[in-house]
Amino acid sequence: ERIISGSRDNTVRIWNVRGGEAVGSPLRGHSEEVRSVACSRDGQFISSGSVDGTMRIWDAQTGAAIRQPIKHDSSVNTVAFSNDSMRIVSGCGDRSIRVWSVASGKQVCETIKGHTSWIESVVFSPDDQSILSGSSDETIRTWDIIDTTATTDELLPGHSKTVYCVCFSANGKIIASASRDKTVRLWNAFTGVAIGELLQ
């Protein structure tokens, strides 16, 4: 029933879907452009990532900030909650991916690295066992977050420009990716094989 938005005015806002009006006051705290927002599946929390190098967690009902901002080494381009609402994944301009505990605000596994350019999109798999990422290096990768010694399970090359958005189907069997090359691609999540023709 609500939409969360982040803006170049450094704020996060909540909107009513039915009437289109803003709900409460803007959430203020970031000092630069907000590049990504996400809402936990249980509806309790909002997360935001900013060019200011921080990720913030907010109470979705009151708009209050929860603890101090979580600092990163560069711009936080993308954030996403796990399906159990207990963790947040962040992807950054320094090519790193990190997983955080919502409860403590602490990093819960080793920093994930492997992309050669900015991380533009991250998402948990439906079973919360792995992370999918898209990057300015034109690739998609999947990461095992249970075995923190693992690097990458799968590299899906195919796009010719930045991959701005990645997602899993609800059953976890298909991956979709959208790119600046003006195409959407579908992939078998288990084999990494492309499915069907390019969607142009």
Side-chain angles (χ1 to χ4, degrees), residues 142-158:
T142 59
W143 310 90
D144 184 341
I145 57 170
I146 301 303
D147 178 5
T148 56
T149 63
T151 51
T152 178
D153 300 335
E154 211 169 349
L155 170 65
L156 307 182

Side-chain angles (χ1 to χ4, degrees), residues 30 47-50 52-58 68-72 76 78-80 88-90 100 105:
H30 287 294
S47 179
S48 56
S50 170
D52 67 12
T54 68
M55 180 180 74
R56 288 178 174 262
I57 304 173
W58 314 82
Q68 294 297 308
I70 298 172
K71 295 182 180 180
H72 293 63
V76 182
T78 175
V79 294
I88 304 171
V89 59
S90 59
W100 309 86

